[in-house]
């Protein structure tokens, strides 16, 4: 019974192979049977590209065959001389015609030539080539130098006529491998992905799969929040993002539990003031709570300072004179009277 | 105004899918994440829809609808924000309808080198002059804690301008401004200048950000990258002064600026293997910080050593990942991460953090993809936590 299965499977495989082989287009690579030096013709003889490839001037399809015919060669060479066949044909006894590969791309030589785009911009280094081959044809990367999202927003359909499924462009293993391309050649992505959510639908901060941060990052992120806060801010707005957990979950940052936190928190505030403001400004102002940084007695120098008292800073009539709710008065609660307390710091009892 | 605008736009978009859309593509994703944390069980569901619809196209002109919306809830123990509908993008995009201009209305992410925000507003980019790209945007900021609500426009506005001028093919200069306005008062204001020069295999990028309200330089960045055959080398200097909005009471604190140097290098051993290393050294007022990583990455395997010491904490860790195609449609992958760290210098013993994951991803057909992953975590809080993640994606095209 097993043998029958093996035989049936083998027959199916062989039939499938030949069926597919007959369906697939007959592709003849341009590694041609012709001996030809572009360098000699273009550089040494200074022959213009269009002398041989004249048809490109009116070519509007990628499937057009724009290679010179033997008659074109005959404009300069004596093609009637049977003795000199092997000057161009690798195998003069059985010369092979170069077949155009089937191309489904949308490409119009005529438009590009009318825009005075130099042939070598796309056909790189063709003028120094001594052997016509596929290396002189542009790959998609060359197209993207002009047809990037900045200059041309039409995306894939600029060149690819047929409807393309996303999965055709992003192969099966794209999920694992896209990082390398996205970081080194982002213009490839930007060609189609002008919708920001294409990235953020996965890279959105939930860290469900550890794609960006490792799975334990929830527990170790304090390392980065302390020393590398700027990197966090590239993707996360600390006021919005951090507060979502720290305030709603009533979880204090780990450094707040240090035994000497009350003594050293000023240093942290100077270094990472954005982190402080993210939580402490959205709730009640912790600094002045419990009488810590609260100048309720109006006596200068009796409370731990939170800022420098630069005389030059306070000599001019600042907003605090007009605005009774100005933030000075959140801590300096003693008075708003020039004869007493906080105002006395400058006014010395003199009304101004 | 609450929710009205977003729902109206969403309704319009969904209607257009069936009625007038010329073509487009999109993706429907369902994710389930099961885990237990602090003895609380969670079964989280994330349901998202993303699509681009071309309502009208004519050569290089087109009108497109773009949307990315996600609905989140928890079947077991809900967070305070659950259930939540978060519209990340909902915009109508006019490309070249006004010649050489891109105009988008709706919810979108806007950014310059001096600030970024998710806004409900308008964003216009114009390239009428061949060497100049001019962008202007403005709108109402989205509160991420309450994304369904559009704030009163007096409360929180965002505006910005970004221009790029290409002096030549390889030299580009940029000027930008980003501002946040709350209760008619400018609370965040930044002017920025940036320059980018490409010369042979070198790239030079620099950036300066200024706070015109406080008359201070907020940030200076200078970076040079050099590629030489198989080598890529980058060197970066950053000066930064932490800052908060000018109306914040925290703005009275005299902050300490810091300097950071970065060096990174990459060597392509061959087509498959890249050796990667980077070092960061930050100079703070009290204590400096050194961090770095070194390792290699191939198309199927990666291994890195990570190090951090100084301000912010200490860490030694190793991380690795592996990927293997079983066949054309299924693949397995795994990752592991081990680290010893401390956030507080008073902490005598280092904490251990260990995580690993094993997953399988498969394509049922060209448009259906599934992914399932088992995760295991061990850390200072969770002695053992096992988690399951499941994702199903359906991609679709409109014709």
């Amino acid at each position: 019974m097993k043998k029958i299965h093996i035989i049936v499977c083998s027959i199916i495989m062989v039939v499938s192979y030949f069926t597919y082989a007959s369906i697939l287009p007959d592709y003849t690579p341009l590694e041609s049977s012709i001996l030809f030096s572009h360098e000699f013709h273009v550089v040494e003889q200074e022959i213009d590209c269009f002398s041989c490839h004249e048809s490109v001037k009116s070519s509007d399809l990628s499937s057009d065959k724009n290679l010179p015919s033997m008659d074109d060669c005959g404009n300069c060479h004596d093609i009637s001389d049977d003795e000199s066949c092997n000057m161009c044909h690798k195998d003069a006894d059985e010369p092979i015609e170069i077949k155009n590969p089937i191309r489904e791309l949308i490409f119009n030589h005529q438009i590009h030539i009318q825009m005075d785009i130099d042939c070598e911009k796309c056909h790189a280094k063709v003028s120094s080539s001594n052997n016509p081959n596929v290396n002189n044809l542009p790959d998609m990367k060359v197209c993207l130098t002009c047809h990037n999202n900045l200059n041309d927003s039409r995306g894939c359909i600029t060149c690819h006529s047929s409807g393309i499924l996303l999965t055709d462009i992003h192969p099966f293993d794209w999920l694992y491998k896209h990082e390398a391309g996205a970081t080194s050649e982002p213009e490839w992505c930007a060609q189609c992905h002008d919708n920001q959510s294409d990235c953020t639908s996965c890279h959105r901060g939930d860290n469900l799969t550890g794609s960006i941060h490792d799975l334990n990052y929830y527990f170790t992120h304090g390392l980065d929040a302390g020393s590398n806060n700027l990197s966090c801010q590239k993707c996360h707005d600390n006021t919005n993002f951090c507060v979502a957990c720290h305030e709603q979950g009533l979880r204090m940052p780990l450094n707040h539990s240090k035994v000497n936190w009350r003594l050293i928190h000023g240093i942290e505030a100077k270094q990472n003031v954005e982190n402080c403001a993210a939580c402490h400004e959205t709730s009640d102002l912790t600094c002045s709570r419990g009488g810590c940084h609260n100048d309720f007695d109006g006596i200068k120098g009796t409370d731990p300072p939170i800022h420098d008292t630069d005389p030059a800073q306070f000599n001019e009539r600042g907003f605090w004179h007009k605005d009774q709710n100005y933030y000075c008065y959140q801590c300096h609660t003693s008075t708003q009277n020039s004869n007493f307390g906080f105002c006395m710091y400058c006014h010395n009892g003199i009304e101004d | 105004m609450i929710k009205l605008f977003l729902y109206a736009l969403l309704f319009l978009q969904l209607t257009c899918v069936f009625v007038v859309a010329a073509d487009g593509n999109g993706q429907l994703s369902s994710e389930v994440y099961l885990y237990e944390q602090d003895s609380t069980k969670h079964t989280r569901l994330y349901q998202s829809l993303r699509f681009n619809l071309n309502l009208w196209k004519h050569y290089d002109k087109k009108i497109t609808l773009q949307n990315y919306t996600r609905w989140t809830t928890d079947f077991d123990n809900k967070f305070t924000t659950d259930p939540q509908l978060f519209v990340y993008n909902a915009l109508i995009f006019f490309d070249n309808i006004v010649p050489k201009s891109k105009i988008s209305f709706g919810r979108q992410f806007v950014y310059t080198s001096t600030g970024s925000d998710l806004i409900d507003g308008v964003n216009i980019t114009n390239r009428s002059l061949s060497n100049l790209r001019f962008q202007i945007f403005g709108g109402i900021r989205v509160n991420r804690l309450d994304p369904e609500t559009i704030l009163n426009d007096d409360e929180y506005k965002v505006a910005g301008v970004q221009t790029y001028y290409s002096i030549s093919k390889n030299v580009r200069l940029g000027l930008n401004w980003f501002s946040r306005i709350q209760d008619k008062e400018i609370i965040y204001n930044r002017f920025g200048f940036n320059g980018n020069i490409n010369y042979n295999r070198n790239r030079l990028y620099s950036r300066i950000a200024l706070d015109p309200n406080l008359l201070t330089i907020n940030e200076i960045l200078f970076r040079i990258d050099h590629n030489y055959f198989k080598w890529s080398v980058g060197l970066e200097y950053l000066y930064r002064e932490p800052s908060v909005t000018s109306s914040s009471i925290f703005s009275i604190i005299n902050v300490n600026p810091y300097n950071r140097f970065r060096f990174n290098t990459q060597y392509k051993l061959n087509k498959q293997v890249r050796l990667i290393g980077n070092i960061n050294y930050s100079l703070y007022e009290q204590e400096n910080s050194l961090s770095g990583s070194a390792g290699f990455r191939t198309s199927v395997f990666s291994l890195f050593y990570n190090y951090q010491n100084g301000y912010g904490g200490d860490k030694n860790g190793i991380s690795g990942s592996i990927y293997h195609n079983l066949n054309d449609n299924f693949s397995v992958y795994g990752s592991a991460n081990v680290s010893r760290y401390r956030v507080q210098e008073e902490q005598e013993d280092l904490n251990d953090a260990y995580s690993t994951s094993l997953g399988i991803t498969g394509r049922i057909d060209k448009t259906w993809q599934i992914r399932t992953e088992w995760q295991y975590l061990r850390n200072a809080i969770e002695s053992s936590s096992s988690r399951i993640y499941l994702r199903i994606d359906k991609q679709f095209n409109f014709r």
Side-chain angles (χ1 to χ4, degrees), chain B residues 278 280 290-294 305-310 313-317:
Chain B
N278 65 72
N280 307 320
L290 176 70
S291 65
S293 67
Y305 167 71
N306 305 296
Y307 173 82
Q308 182 171 333
N309 179 256
D314 304 327
K315 188 172 93 166
N316 276 292

Side-chain angles (χ1 to χ4, degrees), chain B residues 26-54:
Chain B
Q27 181 173 303
L28 191 66
S29 301
S30 301
E31 295 163 278
V32 179
Y33 193 43
L34 297 109
Y35 66 99
E36 195 173 306
Q37 192 164 29
D38 299 337
S39 304
T40 308
K41 193 180 171 192
H42 292 283
T43 306
R44 310 223 11 102
L45 174 71
Y46 304 88
Q47 183 65 53
S48 55
L49 174 68
R50 175 168 61 87
F51 58 80
N52 284 4
L53 296 173
N54 293 318

Side-chain angles (χ1 to χ4, degrees), chain B residues 222-319:
Chain B
F222 187 81
R223 180 175 178 83
I224 185 161
D225 292 289
H226 177 71
N227 295 302
Y228 184 74
F229 294 104
K230 292 182 173 182
W231 284 96
S232 306
V233 179
L235 199 62
E236 182 183 296
Y237 165 72
L238 170 80
Y239 163 88
R240 185 165 184 270
E241 185 174 301
S243 69
V244 290
T245 59
S246 55
S247 66
S248 165
I249 191 164
F250 288 91
S251 64
I252 64 172
I253 295 175
N254 295 332
V255 294
N256 289 336
Y258 59 85
N259 297 282
R260 183 167 73 193
F261 298 91
R262 276 186 171 181
F263 171 77
N264 62 284
T265 184
Q266 194 178 119
Y267 178 74
K268 285 181 187 169
L269 200 63
N270 52 47
K271 277 189 175 179
Q272 296 294 324
V273 184
R274 286 183 295 155
L275 305 178
I276 299 164
N278 65 72
I279 298 169
N280 307 320
Y281 189 62
S282 303
L283 299 166
Y284 295 101
E285 183 117 318
Q286 284 74 34
E287 186 187 12
N288 299 331
S289 165
L290 176 70
S291 65
S293 67
F296 67 93
R297 185 187 297 279
T298 75
S299 57
V300 294
F301 184 69
S302 73
L303 189 67
F304 282 89
Y305 167 71
N306 305 296
Y307 173 82
Q308 182 171 333
N309 179 256
Y311 178 69
D314 304 327
K315 188 172 93 166
N316 276 292
I318 295 173
S319 59

Side-chain angles (χ1 to χ4, degrees), chain A residues 319-320 322-330 336:
Chain A
F319 292 115
W320 54 89
K322 298 172 188 169
D323 186 354
Q324 300 296 307
N325 295 315
Y326 204 70
Y327 56 58
C328 301
Y329 303 118
Q330 291 192 43
Q336 290 176 30

Side-chain angles (χ1 to χ4, degrees), chain A residues 121 149-155 157 163-168 170-177 179-180 183 192-198 200-202 204 206-211 214-216 218-220 222-224 226-231 233-235 237 239-241 243-244 248 251 254-255 257-260 264 266-274 276-277 280-281 285 287 306-308 327-328 330-331, chain B residues 31 33 37-38 46 50 52 57 59-60 62 66 68 70 80-81 89 93 95 102 108-109 127 133 141-145 238 240 242-244 246-256 258 260 262 274 284-286 289 297 299-301 308 311-315 321 323 325 327-331 337 341-344 346 353-356 361-363 366 371 373 375 377-379 381-382 389 391 395 397 399:
Chain A
K121 184 159 187 179
N149 200 39
L150 292 175
N151 299 327
D152 183 349
S153 59
R154 286 171 294 174
I157 58 164
I164 300 171
L165 275 173
L166 296 175
T167 44
D168 295 334
H170 300 122
F172 170 63
D173 52 359
W174 174 87
L175 187 70
Y176 179 78
K177 293 178 178 172
E179 183 212 340
T183 50
C192 299
H193 296 278
D194 55 356
N195 185 347
Q196 305 145 358
S197 63
D198 292 347
T200 54
S201 62
C202 285
R204 68 188 166 216
D206 292 307
N207 203 39
L208 303 183
T209 58
S211 307
D214 75 77
L215 293 166
N216 270 316
Y218 180 82
F219 303 93
T220 63
L223 290 158
D224 286 336
S227 65
N228 198 14
N229 194 20
L230 183 62
S231 292
Q233 289 180 44
K234 280 180 184 169
C235 299
D237 170 64
T239 308
N240 257 329
F241 187 77
V243 171
Q248 295 206 345
R251 295 174 194 277
L254 203 56
N255 57 8
S257 61
K258 287 180 177 178
V259 286
N260 57 346
I264 63 164
I267 298 167
E268 295 284 337
K270 285 183 171 185
Q271 214 126 280
N272 275 321
V273 70
E274 292 121 329
C276 305
H280 291 287
E281 200 158 41
L285 187 63
C287 310
I306 206 169
H307 59 87
D308 289 342
Y327 56 58
C328 301
Q330 291 192 43
C331 296
Chain B
E31 295 163 278
Y33 193 43
Q37 192 164 29
D38 299 337
Y46 304 88
R50 175 168 61 87
N52 284 4
K57 276 196 307 189
Y59 294 102
D60 59 346
K62 68 176 177 182
Q66 297 182 359
Y68 172 46
R70 190 180 63 161
T80 51
T81 49
N89 279 94
F93 179 56
D95 191 3
K102 296 171 190 288
Q108 57 199 299
F109 190 73
R127 294 180 63 90
R133 194 185 83 166
R141 188 195 199 198
V142 176
N143 183 352
R144 285 175 188 267
L145 296 175
L238 170 80
R240 185 165 184 270
S243 69
V244 290
S246 55
S247 66
S248 165
I249 191 164
F250 288 91
S251 64
I252 64 172
I253 295 175
N254 295 332
V255 294
N256 289 336
Y258 59 85
R260 183 167 73 193
R262 276 186 171 181
R274 286 183 295 155
Y284 295 101
E285 183 117 318
Q286 284 74 34
S289 165
R297 185 187 297 279
S299 57
V300 294
F301 184 69
Q308 182 171 333
Y311 178 69
D314 304 327
K315 188 172 93 166
S321 67
Y323 181 92
N325 280 342
N327 55 38
D328 285 345
N329 290 328
F330 284 90
S331 65
N337 192 300
Y341 71 100
R342 76 171 132 227
V343 180
Q344 304 186 52
E346 298 85 357
Y354 172 75
S355 68
T356 188
T361 178
R363 184 186 293 170
K366 273 195 164 186
R371 180 181 179 187
E373 186 175 308
Q375 302 170 348
L377 281 74
R378 202 172 68 203
N379 48 59
I381 311 296
E382 303 282 334
Y389 171 76
R391 177 170 179 147
Q395 292 170 338
N397 278 7
R399 294 264 173 258

